[in-house]
Amino acid sequence: LSPIDLDLRSRCLALILDCAPSNDEAVDRLCDLAAVRDALCADARDVAELLDRARRIATDVGDVVRIERQLRDCYEQSGDWKNAERAAAVVAETDDLPGDWIGLSELRSWLGDRDGATRALERVIAIDPSSRQANESLVRLAEREGQPDSAITRLVAWAEADDAAPAGDRAMRMLDA
């Protein structure tokens, strides 16, 4: 669509939103409007404001998670790390997927919340004990905090849990420990 078409669609969606007969329809229209404004390269904060409105009235868990994912992206684009972390936490706690917990740990680490980052990574390990990214991150965190025993324990546990890894890789982890 051309910028003129997108602008027209944005205006129409805003008008339709005022007449939405149900919360579900209002959620859909707010999300559509946010997508159009995002395509028009609107400020991420403006897009986030629409998505935040949709999240507040959404009743379906799937809608809430979808909106929170979009909000996280908007907040990250605008440099609002605290709200990005909040949105990422909702997604991780709801969907319980390793990638979401890893993303949450990165945000918490950027915010200086080492304990929160560690808890998120430990959740990944609970889901997938052989997760390379989570194990490497936990080892790095332990090393940065001057906790060599924790790093060694993590390397050993990782080597033992990662049955699918080549024997050489597992042996190197044990040697690193």
Side-chain angles (χ1 to χ4, degrees), residues 74-101:
C74 288
Y75 291 138
E76 284 183 0
Q77 288 173 25
S78 64
D80 185 348
W81 305 114
K82 189 74 174 154
N83 277 321
E85 185 273 340
R86 185 208 47 76
V90 170
V91 171
E93 291 165 4
T94 304
D95 280 355
D96 204 26
L97 298 172
D100 294 333
W101 286 107

Side-chain angles (χ1 to χ4, degrees), residues 52-175:
D52 190 52
R53 262 178 76 190
R55 180 185 41 102
R56 285 193 309 267
I57 62 173
T59 56
D60 179 72
V61 173
D63 286 341
V64 170
V65 170
R66 177 175 51 90
I67 293 165
E68 291 287 1
R69 283 185 190 283
Q70 293 172 297
L71 276 168
R72 177 192 171 172
D73 291 342
C74 288
Y75 291 138
E76 284 183 0
Q77 288 173 25
S78 64
D80 185 348
W81 305 114
K82 189 74 174 154
N83 277 321
E85 185 273 340
R86 185 208 47 76
V90 170
V91 171
E93 291 165 4
T94 304
D95 280 355
D96 204 26
L97 298 172
D100 294 333
W101 286 107
I102 287 171
L104 177 59
S105 76
E106 290 170 356
L107 283 166
R108 287 179 172 171
S109 184
W110 294 338
L111 288 168
D113 180 5
R114 298 276 188 238
D115 291 339
T118 300
R119 282 192 309 276
L121 291 168
E122 287 170 348
R123 181 64 196 134
V124 175
I125 298 300
I127 297 168
D128 178 10
S130 64
S131 169
R132 177 180 214 66
Q133 193 170 4
N135 279 292
E136 286 176 349
S137 295
L138 282 168
V139 168
R140 277 194 306 275
L141 279 172
E143 288 172 344
R144 269 190 242 138
E145 293 176 4
Q147 299 174 344
D149 290 345
S150 293
I152 291 168
T153 301
R154 173 58 24 224
L155 285 166
V156 170
W158 182 18
E160 290 171 350
D162 197 4
D163 294 343
D169 289 354
R170 294 175 69 206
M172 287 305 295
R173 287 187 205 122
M174 294 296 273
L175 285 173

